[in-house]
Each structure stands twice: as C-alpha cells, then as structure tokens.
Amino acid sequence: DAGSSVEEMEFNWDEYLEDTGATAAPHGSFKHVDTSLQNGFAPGMKLEVAVKSDQNTYWVATIITTCGQLLLLRYDGYGEDRKADFWCDILTADLHPIGWCQQNKKILKVPEGIKDKIPDQEEFLQRVLRGACSAPANLLEGLHRGKNPLDLIAPGSRLELQNIRDSLEAWIVNVVENIGGRLKLRYEGLEDSDKFDQWLFYLDPFLHQVGWAAQHGYSLQPPLAIRSLRSEADWQEILQKVKEEEEESSVPTDLFKDKPVIGVHSFSEGMKLEAVDPTAPFVISPATVLKVYNDKYFMIEIDDLRAECGSSQRYVCHRNSAGIFPVQWSLKNGLHLSPPPGYPGQDFDWADYLKQCGAEAAPQSCFPSLTSDHGFKENMKLEAVNPVDPEEVCIATVTKLKDSYLWLQLEGSKKPVPECIVSVESMNIFPVGWCETNGYQLRPPRKAIVNKQKKIAVVQPEKQILSSRTVHDGLKNQELNSSDSVVINGKYCCPKIYFNHRCFSGPYLNKGRIAELPQSVGPGNCVLVLKEVLTLLINAAYKPSRVLRELQLDEEAAWHGHGETLKAKYKGKSYRATVEVVRTADRVADFCRKTCIKLECCPNLFGPQMVLDKCSENCSVLTKTKYTHYYGKRKNKRIGRPPGGHSNLEVAMKKPNKRRKRRKHFFVHKKKRSSTSVDNTPAGSPQGSGAEEEDDQDESELSHSLAQDRDKRKRKLRTFSFSDDENKPPSPKDIKMEVAEKLQLDSNPLEWSVADVVRFLKSTDCAPLARIFLDQEIDGQALLLLTLPTVQECMDLKLGPAIKLCHHIERVKLAFYQQFAN
C-alpha cells in the first residue's frame, strides 16, 4: 500500500546495521562489482600526452594509478622518480593512444626535466614501447571518451546469450536496462513481451558480444521456449536485420576481457554428483551428467525417480559452474542432501543409490578446489537477488558458510523465500549500498515498517481561533474530564507543552504552520512528548533540514539527557540527526526555553507555560532583524551578557561556527543517484530562508593558514542567554555585526603539493580523510578535478562524508576562481 511504500523509501543501511548489531560484508569480497567499477585504464598502460611547457609537442607517459575519470601519469624517462607525477582528466586533457603523433604528424619531444637522461630519443622510444600496452583508443577519442566502459552497454545494445536450458545454441538478446552492470535482457523478436526477460550480470560466462557464436562454431537459434511464437521465416528475417544493424548496436569487445575463463572439464556421461538447481537454489540434490557437448560444456539433470515425471530440471554447466559438488560432499559438511523425488525411504545412502543406478560417482578431480578465504562471515549483511523473482534485490543475511558457499536468508521479498545457497563468486550478490548507488529499489525488511507504527504521545485537537479565556477554560475542563489523561508518575512525566502561536516565530519557523499546530502535546513520558514537539516544529519550518541542523547535538557539549534521532525531509532528500532530549520533568521548561533560543524565536513560543494575552518577553514589538541581532548569530566577539543574564546556554551558543564542523551523524539519503554534478550545498544546509547566508558564512571561516586557524580556535566567545527576569533585549545599535570571512587562499591551489592538500584538509572537519589523499598522492590539480561520484567510488566513502568532503573541494574551487583564475 501507499503507506508502506513511503517507509520502503526511507530504509537506511547505517541505521539498520546499528539496530541489528550486524556488519556489512566487505566490499572487496564482491570481485564482479570491483571489476565493473574499473574505467578501462590500468596502471602500466602508455599514452601520448601534450607536454605542459610546450603545448605543440607530446611525450609518452605511463599510467601510475586511476581514480574515476582521473589518471595519475608519469612521463617515461623519470624512472622511479615521483616528483613530476601529474593528474589529468580524461575528458579535458590532451591524451592520445600510442602511435597517434606519428599518424597525425605531431612532434614527440623529450620534456625539459629529463632531457639530460635521454641522449637518443629514437632509441629510447623503441626500447620503452617494445611490448608496451597502449591505453584504449576508443576511451580516449570520440563518443566514448572519458566514459566508464560499463556505460557503453546502453539500452538497445545487442548481445548473444547461450541457451543453458536445452542446448548450447545462442540467440540475440536486447539490453532493456543496465543497472550497474546487471542487465535486463529480452530476446530479439519479442519486443512487446517481457514474459521471457532475464537478468544477468554482464560478466556472466554464457553472455557474449554479437558474433561470438559464429566464431566458436555454435548456431544462432531461438530457444525452444520461444521458437513456436514465430515462423522459421520470421526468425531468419530477424537474424538478417540484426546482421545489417550490427555496427549500430554492438558492444566493445574490451568489456568482456575480464570474464571468467572456462577451463577444460573431465566429466563423462552418466556420472553422478551433488548439485543445486540455479533456478531454485534451496536444496542440494543428487544429479546426473546427462550429456557432454565438448571439452568445455556438459549438461546435468537433477535426479527424479518418479515414473510420471514429465519435465526434468536440466541445465548446461562448465568446470567452474557454481553449485556442483562431488558425491558425499553434503555428508562431509554436515548438510542435508534432499533425496530424489520417488526415492524409497528418507535415509538416502549414496553407496546403495550408485549400486541401484549402476552408475559411478564423478571423481574429486573433476571439481574445482573450494576456498574459504573470501571475507564473508556469519551474520554479515549484503544485498542479493531473489532467485524466485530476479527483478527483486533484497537484504540478505549470511546464516551459514561451507567452503566457498553461503546460505542466505532474504528479508522483505514479496513472497517468503527459503534460505538460498549461493557461491561466494556469484554475480547475484552485491555489497551493502549497491542498490542505492545505482538507483535501484532495494526491498527493505518488513519489520522496519512495523517499527514505525508507535504511538508517540497524546496530541490535542487542532487549534481554533478562540479567545484566550475560552482556550484556558476549555483546557482546564479537558484536563479534568479526558479519558486519555496520563497518570502522573513523578519525575519522568512531562506536563502539557503549549504552542503559543502569537509569539514571535523567528527566521526558521513558518508562522502560518505554527498556527496550525495542535494547542498542546502531552502529558506523557518526557522523551516521547518532547520528541513529538520537536518533530512538529521541524515540519513547521521553512526548511526542515535547517531546523534539524540547529537542534543537532553539539558533540563538545556536556551530555545531560537522552539522544533521539529525528528526521526531516526537504526537496526530496531525507535528513537525520541526533538531538538531545531531557528525560525528567524538572528540566522540561529550561529545555524548551533553550530550544527556542537555538531557533531564534521567542523563548515562550512553546513550553509548559501558556501565553494568554501578552507575552512576558514583549516579543510582539520586535522585528525579525532585531531578534537576529539579539541572538548574536553575527554578534561582535566583544559582546557582553544582557543585564542579569547568566551563562546557561552552552549547548546552544558556545562557538556556534565550530558546532557545524563537527556534524558526524548527519546523513543525507538520496532516493536515486543523480548525474555526476556535485551538489555544492553542504549536508543539511537549505538555502534562502531566514538567515540565507549563514551556512556559507559559517562554513567559510577556514583559512588555508593553519596558524590563523589555531588562533581562531583559541578565541573564546562569551556565552549569553535570556534570564527569567530579563524582558528587554539589548538595543541593536549597541551591537556590531561580525561577518564571517570567506575562504582566503594564500597560494594558488593549482600549485599545491600533496602535503599542501593534506594540510588544508586537516584544517577542516574532514581531517580523518587526509590520509587517503596522502596515500593517493592527490595534489592541488587533482583536488580541483574531484567530483562527488569520483570521491564515492575511488575513496569508498559513504554519501554523507563524501558530500561534506566535496563541499570543501567546491569552496577551494570557488576561492580559486575568485582569486587566481584571471
């Protein structure tokens, strides 16, 4: 239903892993996913690159490492000397395959820095290019330039798929979708029907580029299941059409270079073994080698002893096929072997069965050696394809491991599925977050939906415009007569919290929405009531994410209460943050007052005190501007406390600029991965409401100079607050505004060394990531080329840290354009 679909969209892996106490399976255990992320360039490849000091000349360079669309290059002749290594962007740099200069009459000339090392240019080139591997020309030039090779398998591309159910013949398939290398395929000739669609990973050993069948002596025939849907003449006409359009829809052969190599098998017809049916991988059953096609392929059949059995489960295998085991493998591993249907009795015995069938067991040497060195452990979480409905990708838990095989329990599938048996090398399992990264819907666990249906607190009916006296009397009667009233049980029971909508609502909260809130919330448990109050306030904001950010727990502050995770939605994104909520009734009034001050609204906007006619803070005479000065968001550092004030607001007011730099639990959840552009807005930073420039000012206080930064950190801002006897804020003319300075760079980031980049990062809230930049040798030029997708893929960062890091990179870019671009 609609309600549950909303909950499904909100599934978050970080929270789920925390709730279940489980860990994610390591990313490195999914070799096929790692392969799919490669950009087609590999360390050691050579190319011809324009020389920086002389743009009309070129020289040979070797790829040192790759990072998305960035390449780290070293001119040949520098040997092991890394000092002249440089990063360049495939899309913008002047890069060409080996031989391009000769074909286009361009000059190959030794760069100045290594002229002395290379006395004979021709002899040197002959030596270094002998047996060298050139970077792929199709990824350096033309339409495919800079693209991930995987993106070349676009919808409409054609491939050949072997029919593993009844023969080795192949037939043409069309790519309908490409989800991170997982392809939805439709047989050519069935354009209007999805009944026979299949999902396969592009590295599947039975999937090939067009022309493979002809090269290897296999015929192109539609599978038996669809052959009767058209006449033989129609099929031949379709085949002819495909051959004519081969150029337009073909896929580069380089894509399949990483496919598993099929080895030579030693099975013979009639041999017995144990097997798992790939279409229903729930049990291990006795099976027979039905047919041997050649030295690479053979067909096996799951044994069925029933006389009336019409159709059998049979499929083509090769030596390294998953789910085939030697006789007695189940027994040796303490696993249940499911007897063949029609087998007399339940106690299956291989010796009797082989004698009864007059067959021999396939020897151990026929099977690949199994390994347990794969990184998976029990209770680890991952994402896995539902074998019953391959359209679904579900959350999966490893319940058992044996050698190279996992037993997975799938959660959230539309129909319950038994434990699945899969190989650790299966291309139907994926790391945590794979679906989100590729914009595919992950089936969330059902319990995540049920948990949301908790009653939070008693919420009074919506407010009507009544006189103060009528409201007051009505609430009195309601308290006396309400059957919902909560038994007062001392210190943990929160009194009613009133929303006084006539009070000043501040720059963040929408006065109209405040007026539509309930008259009050509670009484009830302190944590539940206050959580409900804060949730209502967040939803009444111009920009809920900004209010959530203001309320977020300052990790430097003393911990006095209970941490609650609150959510906000804004412009299609979901935000989460940990907010401190008090647990005892004696601290509720103070908590409400401090929260109001955080939100720059009247301290009486909400709280246990109902404002009838006139607010004690006299907030009706104050304008938004005056309140902004009053709360000191841009206050001069020498400001004093208001008369009679006391320093009781350390959580809210202590070093407000620093608090934003310590957001560690603030997550942004995108429903779908967008284009490769970087979102310049930091996580949780809406723009355009109330204090529009504050985010930029708060985030822009960093200087490239660490000494300046340390001085700033030592600067103590005096804290101040409202006090109960203070009815008048200080006059605005007594206060000078301090505008947060923009990022000022002491040097051109294009000239930054790796050490300079690391130094800059250590001065931000992304300091823990500096080590990655040091290891990857990212200098200033490379830093300016980094984008959000590159940062996520190559640094293996979660979305939240990646966005924060990219925000700082964008600030450097902006400062670069403003200070040095001209």
Side-chain angles (χ1 to χ4, degrees), residues 182-294:
R182 190 166 180 257
L183 309 178
K184 185 177 185 179
L185 304 170
R186 185 168 298 165
Y187 283 117
E188 187 73 42
L190 301 185
E191 285 74 16
D192 302 325
S193 169
D194 60 1
K195 184 181 175 185
F196 298 96
D197 286 1
Q198 297 185 53
W199 283 92
L200 289 175
F201 203 72
Y202 80 105
L203 295 173
D204 189 285
F206 291 102
L207 190 63
H208 313 278
Q209 70 269 33
V210 171
W212 176 88
Q215 289 171 14
H216 293 81
Y218 297 102
S219 61
L220 278 173
Q221 287 286 344
L224 288 175
I226 66 168
R227 203 172 293 177
S228 60
L229 299 178
R230 288 179 178 267
S231 67
E232 185 60 32
D234 286 346
W235 290 119
Q236 289 306 315
E237 190 180 322
I238 289 166
L239 199 53
Q240 190 58 38
K241 178 187 161 198
V242 168
K243 286 178 179 174
E244 289 169 5
E245 298 174 357
E246 191 173 326
E247 279 299 314
E248 300 168 27
S249 60
S250 65
V251 171
T253 53
D254 287 354
L255 274 172
F256 300 99
K257 70 181 188 310
D258 296 311
K259 273 174 56 173
V261 177
I262 295 177
V264 175
H265 73 81
S266 51
F267 287 93
S268 304
E269 284 184 18
M271 282 182 173
K272 293 287 184 184
L273 64 156
E274 297 180 3
V276 175
D277 181 0
T279 58
F282 313 123
V283 294
I284 303 172
S285 310
T288 306
V289 177
L290 192 65
K291 184 176 181 181
V292 173
Y293 291 100
N294 51 35

Side-chain angles (χ1 to χ4, degrees), residues 333-408:
N333 286 280
L335 301 168
H336 175 68
L337 181 70
S338 180
Y343 181 79
Q346 284 301 306
D347 295 327
F348 181 82
D349 181 74
W350 261 115
D352 291 346
Y353 185 61
L354 290 171
K355 196 180 291 182
Q356 180 186 330
C357 298
E360 63 168 324
Q364 180 74 46
S365 59
C366 290
F367 300 88
S369 56
L370 301 179
T371 175
S372 53
D373 182 23
H374 42 63
F376 290 99
K377 292 179 183 172
E378 278 188 25
N379 297 319
M380 278 186 171
K381 301 284 182 182
L382 56 145
E383 297 176 7
V385 174
N386 179 354
V388 178
D389 181 2
E391 194 101 8
E392 287 185 0
V393 180
C394 305
I395 290 168
T397 307
V398 178
T399 58
K400 186 163 51 181
L401 298 104
K402 294 292 177 187
D403 293 334
S404 305
Y405 288 84
L406 312 173
W407 273 250
L408 299 179

Side-chain angles (χ1 to χ4, degrees), residues 8-237:
E8 285 174 18
M9 289 173 68
E10 287 193 352
F11 174 77
N12 172 251
W13 262 116
D14 291 303
E15 288 185 356
Y16 179 71
L17 291 172
E18 191 176 331
D19 291 345
T20 55
T23 55
H27 200 288
S29 297
F30 304 87
K31 302 287 189 297
H32 60 297
V33 175
D34 278 346
T35 302
S36 71
L37 295 174
Q38 291 170 10
N39 63 2
F41 296 92
M45 286 182 175
K46 294 190 184 293
L47 47 142
E48 294 174 358
V49 191
V51 177
K52 285 184 186 178
S53 56
D54 185 355
Q55 291 295 328
N56 296 319
T57 64
Y58 296 80
W59 189 242
V60 176
T62 301
I63 297 174
I64 303 301
T65 190
T66 68
C67 181
Q69 66 187 49
L70 302 177
L71 303 177
L72 181 65
L73 302 177
R74 183 182 302 163
Y75 286 124
D76 281 14
Y78 275 97
E80 297 301 312
D81 187 356
R82 295 172 9 180
K83 71 181 178 191
D85 290 3
F86 59 98
W87 286 93
C88 60
D89 188 332
I90 301 164
L91 286 175
T92 56
D94 196 358
L95 308 175
H96 304 281
I98 296 298
W100 178 85
C101 284
Q102 190 175 355
Q103 291 168 10
N104 293 274
K105 297 185 170 50
K106 298 289 183 182
I107 303 168
L108 276 172
K109 184 180 175 185
V110 183
E112 287 295 326
I114 48 174
K115 235 176 184 175
D116 300 339
K117 296 182 181 179
I118 304 173
D120 186 341
Q121 178 176 311
E122 292 301 320
E123 185 273 333
F124 177 80
L125 286 176
Q126 281 181 7
R127 180 161 45 84
V128 297
L129 295 179
R130 194 177 297 122
C133 175
S134 172
N138 65 319
L139 296 179
L140 289 171
E141 299 165 343
L143 294 173
H144 300 159
R145 181 179 180 183
K147 281 191 176 180
N148 185 325
L150 198 55
D151 297 334
L152 304 182
I153 311 179
S157 302
R158 289 191 176 108
L159 298 164
E160 287 180 5
L161 176 63
Q162 286 177 270
N163 177 21
I164 64 165
R165 279 288 155 195
D166 46 48
S167 71
L168 270 186
E169 293 164 344
W171 186 241
I172 311 294
V173 284
N174 273 296
V175 177
V176 180
E177 280 184 82
N178 177 357
I179 309 294
R182 190 166 180 257
L183 309 178
K184 185 177 185 179
L185 304 170
R186 185 168 298 165
Y187 283 117
E188 187 73 42
L190 301 185
E191 285 74 16
D192 302 325
S193 169
D194 60 1
K195 184 181 175 185
F196 298 96
D197 286 1
Q198 297 185 53
W199 283 92
L200 289 175
F201 203 72
Y202 80 105
L203 295 173
D204 189 285
F206 291 102
L207 190 63
H208 313 278
Q209 70 269 33
V210 171
W212 176 88
Q215 289 171 14
H216 293 81
Y218 297 102
S219 61
L220 278 173
Q221 287 286 344
L224 288 175
I226 66 168
R227 203 172 293 177
S228 60
L229 299 178
R230 288 179 178 267
S231 67
E232 185 60 32
D234 286 346
W235 290 119
Q236 289 306 315
E237 190 180 322

Side-chain angles (χ1 to χ4, degrees), residues 427-489:
M427 296 185 196
N428 284 326
I429 57 174
F430 303 95
V432 160
W434 183 87
C435 280
E436 185 183 8
T437 301
N438 291 285
Y440 196 73
Q441 178 64 55
L442 175 71
R443 296 287 306 172
R446 289 188 186 87
K447 55 185 156 189
I449 299 169
V450 175
N451 286 345
K452 309 275 181 181
Q453 300 169 351
K454 291 188 209 162
K455 186 171 180 182
I456 296 193
V458 180
V459 179
Q460 303 297 344
E462 283 197 357
K463 210 175 257 161
Q464 296 173 7
I465 308 303
L466 302 170
S467 71
S468 317
R469 179 56 55 200
T470 315
V471 171
H472 188 61
D473 293 345
L475 284 170
K476 253 187 172 175
N477 295 335
Q478 194 174 344
E479 280 178 18
L480 293 170
N481 303 326
S482 170
S483 60
D484 288 336
S485 61
V486 180
V487 177
I488 303 300
N489 66 346

